[in-house]
Amino acid sequence: MRNIISFCFAIILIAFSCTKDIPDPIEDIHNVDIGSYTLLPSSIDKIPYNGKKAIVFVDSNFNEIVLKIIESPVSQLNKANYYRYNVYAPGDTVIYHYLSQRKYFHLYMIR
């Protein structure tokens, strides 16, 4: 009887001394969403070619060159990925996902 009690006590002691380790939630550090970037209207207003049709360059001899300006609307790019290597540890890869906007001004010489 004494052996049975000792055995049961040992089982209970072992059962309560072992705890199940619950792992912390793993962060997805290798895929980083850096958000969307949009052009502010106040930033677009600061572009010197915005709203202009042409510009004239004059040198010190009063020679003129006229450039026609073709302005494209703000364009939204599709989602892009930017890959960086060895960010957190040697051999790792981090992928940055982002959206962005662009605005182009094309200058052409008028002859």
Side-chain angles (χ1 to χ4, degrees), residues 14-104:
I14 291 171
F16 284 110
S17 66
C18 297
T19 59
K20 182 178 179 183
D21 290 334
I22 299 172
D24 293 332
I26 299 172
E27 290 185 42
D28 191 5
I29 61 172
H30 300 291
N31 290 304
V32 179
D33 183 4
I34 59 174
S36 298
Y37 291 86
T38 57
L39 296 170
L40 296 172
S42 60
S43 296
I44 294 172
D45 292 341
K46 302 260 188 241
I47 300 172
Y49 307 127
N50 193 34
K52 307 284 192 289
K53 300 295 179 199
I55 55 174
V56 179
F57 288 98
V58 181
D59 67 10
S60 59
N61 295 326
F62 300 102
N63 296 317
E64 294 184 357
I65 296 177
V66 179
L67 298 175
K68 180 180 178 184
I69 300 172
I70 297 178
E71 179 179 341
S72 66
V74 174
S75 61
Q76 181 77 39
L77 296 178
N78 292 334
K79 182 185 268 190
N81 295 322
Y82 176 63
Y83 292 83
R84 291 294 309 237
Y85 304 100
N86 304 321
V87 175
Y88 298 105
D92 71 354
T93 302
V94 176
I95 305 169
Y96 298 92
H97 305 285
Y98 67 93
L99 295 170
S100 64
Q101 290 181 330
R102 291 185 181 170
K103 183 164 183 67
Y104 289 102

